[in-house]
Amino acid sequence: MTTALLTDHYELTMVQAAMDAGTANRRSLFDLFTRRLPEGRRYGVAAGLGRALDAIDSFRFDPATLQFLLEQGIIRDNLAEWLADYRFSGDIWGYQEGETYFPGSPVLSVEGSFAEACILETLLLSIYNHDSAIAAAASRMTAMAEGRPCAEMGSRRTHEWAAVGAARAAYIAGFASTSNLEAGRTYGIPTMGTAAHSFTLLHDSEEEAFRAQLSTLGVETTLLVDTYDVEAAIRKGVELTQGRLGAIRLDSGDLPMMARQARDLLDDLGATGTRITVTSDLDEWQIAALRGAPVDGFGVGTSLVTGSGHPTCGFVYKLVARANSSDRDAPKTPVGKKSRGKNTLGGRKSAMRRLGEDGRAEAEIIGLGAPPDSDGNDRYLLADLVKDGQRVFHGTLEDARTRHRDSLAELPMAALRISRGDPAIETVILDGTGSQTTNPYQAKPRPTGL
């Protein structure tokens, strides 16, 4: 299915006007970045790259799409002819998935003609803003879980296809599994699921429901024990499995207290190996509150996949340099907005993470123009993703999980606090001579108006 119309109307009207003016083919460079992190966030997590590259591969204008655009008067014949042969032919580089980022980090850079790069704006932003926001929330949750597995269970709380992307983003940031089968099929993410309250209510008794589930799924299954009476359900589950029950799930009530009571009861009954999983609208603060409770795993849904749980990343996609010709090697002039509170840094960027002697990150170094010299303890962050229209990056989800784990481990310990605070490290802007220059992306109140 084409992704060409997963975009905003004005992407094509801009290209139409630029084509009519003779400027559509000027070599241009766009950066995708955020000016500041959401309130309460100390770092961001780059996610969505794999989905974005797939979407660019499918960005095609078939005859039906072109007919719609012409009938609506959005484009004219000259642009329709150009779009019919559209294939992105430029270069893309940026942060790999799973990498942490900070205000001003050039998470993605797209270079090509103005026309071919401009019309990717909405597609790229919609993927990156969604996936990176969920990955950041998932990262905070897995950090609070302190090594105990988290399962993504939010499919019923969001758009059916957004649920697939959410499962992927959460997996990058450390979630162990998902309830979403399409995410399992498409991305190879481990899936899990047993039974809901409706399964218990279907049967004449809780014991009958448990017997049916155990008969089909075996004693290692997870029994949902809070439909009626938790203590009675635990006793019955242990009895039916002769103490070999895999796990129980608690989905309501005072979870820290209930988990302690359940653990004591299970141990008293000899089911010392039975695990306890908790669900019920968990977020990072509730998971943090459960750190001292005897909980073996967490199921997270609503707070992970909905906007209330993952504030927007605020990614923007801005033209930062352009040439006066279509020549790939033509010199490019840095350009940028000067609007108060929404100004941008023009020119090509480099990016590296400055590390201390202990291996901990100290700053995000953004170089303008020529890359700044490394002090020998820096880690370069940008990777080539697409060259001359050909995809050259083929990182896997497991690569992204490893990258996120390593990137998070090098941040200062303060990064893992869930209280409000500034970004974990400072963003330092260096000009072409290597001298520090003004950083327009320091934490500040958000601007109002356009």
Side-chain angles (χ1 to χ4, degrees):
M1 182 180 69
T2 177
T3 57
L5 293 189
L6 297 177
T7 190
D8 285 317
H9 185 122
Y10 82 161
E11 309 293 359
L12 291 176
T13 56
M14 280 192 288
V15 174
Q16 180 69 70
M19 182 168 287
D20 294 345
T23 55
N25 291 324
R26 287 183 173 178
R27 193 76 178 176
S28 300
L29 173 63
F30 287 81
D31 281 347
L32 185 149
F33 66 96
T34 186
R35 295 183 176 94
R36 56 193 61 83
L37 298 176
E39 186 176 0
R41 293 285 194 259
R42 295 174 184 263
Y43 62 90
V45 180
L49 171 60
R51 292 209 308 127
L53 294 178
D54 289 342
I56 293 173
D57 288 341
S58 300
F59 201 84
R60 303 286 185 268
F61 292 84
D62 56 28
T65 300
L66 293 173
Q67 181 179 356
F68 166 77
L69 295 171
L70 287 165
E71 289 176 348
Q72 297 298 312
I74 298 170
I75 64 173
R76 300 174 187 162
D77 289 341
N78 61 337
L79 179 53
E81 183 178 351
W82 183 81
L83 291 173
D85 296 323
Y86 179 87
R87 301 290 187 276
F88 180 75
S89 65
D91 301 331
I92 302 176
W93 61 90
Y95 285 38
Q96 298 180 60
E97 285 196 276
E99 185 65 75
T100 55
Y101 69 83
F102 297 90
S105 296
V107 172
L108 197 73
S109 295
V110 180
E111 182 178 323
S113 71
F114 174 83
E116 66 176 343
C118 169
I119 59 176
L120 296 177
E121 174 183 5
T122 300
L123 183 68
L124 294 175
L125 286 177
S126 62
I127 292 172
Y128 267 84
N129 272 315
H130 176 267
D131 289 22
S132 296
I134 288 177
S139 178
R140 284 158 61 90
M141 292 173 184
T142 54
M144 294 305 104
E146 296 182 326
R148 290 172 287 183
C150 293
E152 185 279 314
M153 305 168 63
S155 294
R156 293 168 294 167
R157 298 294 187 264
T158 187
H159 183 276
E160 62 268 28
W161 289 106
V164 181
R168 182 183 184 279
Y171 187 68
I172 287 172
F175 269 56
S177 58
T178 178
S179 65
N180 190 283
L181 290 176
E182 187 59 52
R185 178 174 71 167
T186 302
Y187 299 116
I189 301 171
T191 63
M192 55 81 222
T194 50
H197 291 101
S198 60
F199 183 78
T200 301
L201 297 172
L202 168 69
H203 295 82
D204 293 336
S205 69
E206 191 168 52
E207 178 178 347
E208 183 181 322
F210 284 179
R211 286 185 181 277
Q213 183 176 333
L214 290 166
S215 175
T216 299
L217 301 179
V219 296
E220 279 300 309
T221 191
T222 300
L223 295 179
L224 181 57
V225 296
D226 67 341
T227 304
Y228 303 120
D229 180 276
V230 173
E231 181 179 344
I234 292 176
R235 290 183 180 278
K236 182 57 64 176
V238 172
E239 176 190 336
L240 293 174
T241 60
Q242 299 180 333
R244 295 181 293 121
L245 177 61
I248 64 169
R249 177 160 73 95
L250 300 171
D251 188 52
S252 59
D254 185 334
L255 293 177
M257 180 185 71
M258 292 182 66
R260 292 187 184 94
Q261 292 175 343
R263 183 75 271 159
D264 289 343
L265 178 58
L266 287 166
D267 291 347
D268 289 344
L269 295 173
T272 57
T274 300
R275 303 177 305 279
I276 298 174
T277 296
V278 297
T279 53
S280 186
D281 292 332
L282 298 179
D283 57 25
E284 58 260 54
W285 291 277
Q286 290 169 305
I287 294 173
L290 285 161
R291 281 184 290 190
V295 173
D296 300 291
F298 305 91
V300 187
T302 303
S303 65
L304 178 63
V305 303
T306 66
S308 59
H310 58 78
T312 179
C313 301
F315 280 131
V316 293
Y317 184 82
K318 299 298 181 185
L319 181 66
V320 295
R322 57 94 174 164
N324 285 326
S325 75
S326 61
D327 186 351
R328 172 184 291 271
D329 298 322
K332 298 181 188 67
T333 302
V335 296
K337 292 176 60 175
K338 298 186 181 298
S339 309
R340 184 168 178 252
K342 288 195 172 184
N343 52 324
T344 54
L345 288 171
R348 181 165 179 158
K349 318 292 190 308
S350 60
M352 57 189 183
R353 189 75 41 83
R354 178 144 294 165
L355 306 176
E357 294 299 326
D358 59 356
R360 292 284 184 178
E362 297 179 343
E364 189 89 335
I365 308 297
I366 309 301
L368 304 179
D373 293 331
S374 170
D375 66 358
N377 222 23
D378 296 322
R379 181 168 68 86
Y380 289 93
L381 299 170
L382 301 181
D384 288 330
L385 309 172
V386 175
K387 294 291 289 183
D388 297 325
Q390 299 299 311
R391 188 168 176 169
V392 296
F393 177 78
H394 301 282
T396 67
L397 274 185
E398 295 304 324
D399 293 335
R401 281 168 65 85
T402 299
R403 185 172 302 105
H404 178 63
R405 184 173 62 247
D406 293 345
S407 181
L408 193 61
E410 73 183 13
L411 296 183
M413 292 300 296
L416 300 184
R417 296 174 185 163
I418 58 173
S419 57
R420 294 180 179 179
D422 293 331
I425 59 176
E426 180 186 10
T427 300
V428 175
I429 310 296
L430 302 181
D431 63 21
T433 68
S435 300
Q436 187 167 341
T437 188
T438 302
N439 178 8
Y441 306 129
Q442 300 288 0
K444 62 185 71 174
R446 290 186 178 276
T448 58
L450 297 177

